[in-house]
Amino acid sequence: MRHKHRWIGTLLVLLFIPTMLVQGREVFSADMCRVDADERVVGDVFALCEELYIEGIVDGDIIGAALRTTISGHVTGSLYLVGGQLDITGQVGKDIHYGGAVLRYNPPIEPNNPPRNVLTARSVKAVTFSSTFFDRTQIRDGVLNVGYQLIMRGDVQGEVSFWGSALVIEGDVTGNMYAIVGDPNSESSQLETLLLPFNFDVNLLNPGLIVSETATVTGLLSYRGPEEGEIAGDLLLPANYEAPPTIVPTLDEPGTFTIYAQALGRDFGTLLVIGAVMLFLANGWLQYPLHNLRSRPFASLAVGMLSFLLSFPVVLIVLVLIASLLGFLFILGLQGVVLGVAITFGAVNIGAASVFYFVAIFISRALVSIAIGRLAMRLIFGRYDVDEHRWLQYTALLLGVTLVAPVISLPIIGIIMNALALFLGLGAIGIVVLAQIQRFRNRATPVVQQWYSPSPAIIRERRTTSEVERVPSISAGEADPDLSPTPVSLPVASASSANDTDTLDEPPKPAGMGNLPEGFSWDFFKD
């Protein structure tokens, strides 16, 4: 009997384990989310709020997004947050992962006063515009930061890696430091103007590296920037400074023509190979985007520019939606489904983005090269039709690549011409794709044209009239007034209603077009 009760108790525990796991997760979704000072949350916290305040205790991780987050309590786990600004004045037991505009770790409650408590975190990994670690902070396993500026006033017991513009070290760093900084001669006043509408607590510094007198670096300091930084602190090892490579070569520098020749050969070979493959595999389809480049260059440029610029937020939005779906499935306890959904949607998203950018970067420029070569062939041979002979198409490709590659390989000017060719080719292809989609939609959706379709009464009157016309004519002497047909006035639906089946799909032509010159055709205006 006792064994029976044990089995029943074990079964009940197993049945209630999923419920206990779900109840161990708090989900916040509101304008303002708060964990009060006298409140304790056991388990992870999932938040999607405008403002998030953690004043109590959270025995777990905090995962989510909030425009402004303030953590003044105690979080035993890690932070996985995105948002606008994150202020941490409480304890975080493990790691800090944050992506947003401003990260402030242990800021002073009162202005010009140091923080009261010492805050310790295991590691910090952040992608921010500005990250500041104030006094009395300790990071045990290092800092990884990507952004505009990083200000380290506390102590770090690990490696510091920074990719940005401004890096200031005022505390002690016991590990190595690797940094990429900006030019100290540039200013940050324009960036501050952009941040004014958001009202973030941030003061931007000028780019460059500054190691103050109070700083101590026991590891290797290795950094790259346009100029050497200001190092006034103690370095146990000599600093390793590396100047960035010259981006824009000048004629006075040695090897300038070698660099240009390498870029020219790379662009020439790429455009020639891709263009030849396009002519070999899709010669017939290429006539449509080539026609758009010839007849609608400004529309192609606008469509291509809009498509390329919108591709970046679209990819980001899709990634956010996939992450939200995965988080929702994780909250429901479907951990086994999360991996499959992540692999499927990740492969689809990465594959679609890869195809789009391959078309935009490579195929569009090769298409523009073919169009320029065909134009040059027509200018050379007059009205000679390039499409009549296949070898002339490849000749036009070779001529176009020869004209385009030397221009797009130039410094500065090549960037502009590359962008122009990319937008033109992508827009020409995009117009063809949009037209094909619209054609499919028109075929799938039945078109109701009630404004000129004849009514059933008109159809009956037409049938009656045709039957009367087929009656043999009667001489005037034998005419019977009772059998004489009554003339019927038929309403006309369009300019030529005699053949309704052939003209239903074409709109009526404008009035006053009866005296057009001989040889005039409306097909001239069809695009």
Side-chain angles (χ1 to χ4, degrees), residues 13 38 57 77 140 203 289 322 338 355 374 390 429 461 508 516:
V13 171
D38 56 348
I57 300 175
R140 299 191 300 270
N203 293 322
I322 293 175
V338 171
V355 171
R374 291 163 66 95
R390 192 67 175 267
I429 297 174
E461 291 177 353
L516 294 175

Side-chain angles (χ1 to χ4, degrees), residues 473-481:
S473 59
I474 304 175
S475 61
E478 301 176 353
D480 189 352

Side-chain angles (χ1 to χ4, degrees), residues 183-196:
D183 188 1
N185 298 322
S186 59
E187 297 181 357
S188 61
S189 57
Q190 296 179 354
L191 297 177
E192 289 183 349
T193 304
L194 297 176
L195 294 177
L196 286 177

Side-chain angles (χ1 to χ4, degrees), residues 272-292:
L272 186 62
V273 172
I274 294 179
V277 173
M278 291 166 56
L279 289 176
F280 181 76
L281 297 179
N283 184 28
W285 183 85
L286 286 179
Q287 306 306 318
Y288 299 102
L290 289 174
H291 173 72
N292 292 331

Side-chain angles (χ1 to χ4, degrees), residues 384-396:
Y384 198 89
D385 194 358
V386 181
D387 297 327
E388 288 185 357
H389 300 282
R390 192 67 175 267
W391 64 273
L392 283 177
Q393 299 178 9
Y394 289 97
T395 305

Side-chain angles (χ1 to χ4, degrees), residues 118-131:
V118 177
L119 301 185
T120 303
R122 188 165 64 183
S123 67
V124 176
K125 299 177 180 64
V127 180
T128 59
F129 194 80
S130 173
S131 297

Side-chain angles (χ1 to χ4, degrees), residues 412-437:
I412 301 179
I413 299 177
I415 299 176
I416 300 175
M417 298 308 296
N418 262 310
L420 184 62
L422 186 151
F423 294 151
L424 281 171
L426 184 61
I429 297 174
I431 292 175
V432 175
V433 174
L434 293 176
Q436 190 67 28
I437 294 175

Side-chain angles (χ1 to χ4, degrees), residues 195-329:
L195 294 177
L196 286 177
F198 300 99
N199 194 23
F200 292 137
D201 296 330
V202 58
N203 293 322
L204 297 183
L205 305 177
N206 291 333
L209 172 65
I210 298 176
V211 180
S212 64
E213 299 177 353
T214 60
T216 302
V217 180
T218 60
L220 174 64
L221 173 59
S222 177
Y223 68 100
R224 177 187 297 181
E227 295 186 5
E228 295 187 16
E230 301 178 6
I231 301 177
D234 296 332
L235 301 181
L236 298 185
L237 297 176
N240 180 20
Y241 168 70
E242 181 180 356
T246 303
I247 300 176
V248 181
T250 60
L251 297 178
D252 298 334
E253 297 181 359
T256 300
F257 292 101
T258 303
I259 297 175
Y260 174 72
Q262 292 176 354
L264 176 59
R266 182 175 59 252
D267 293 333
F268 184 88
T270 302
L271 295 179
L272 186 62
V273 172
I274 294 179
V277 173
M278 291 166 56
L279 289 176
F280 181 76
L281 297 179
N283 184 28
W285 183 85
L286 286 179
Q287 306 306 318
Y288 299 102
L290 289 174
H291 173 72
N292 292 331
L293 287 176
R294 185 174 65 253
S295 60
R296 309 175 64 183
F298 295 104
S300 301
L301 179 64
V303 173
M305 183 183 301
L306 184 62
S307 302
F308 190 76
L309 295 179
L310 289 179
S311 64
F312 299 103
V314 167
V315 173
L316 182 60
I317 291 172
V318 172
L319 291 177
V320 172
L321 292 177
I322 293 175
S324 303
L325 177 61
L326 296 179
F328 180 72
L329 294 176

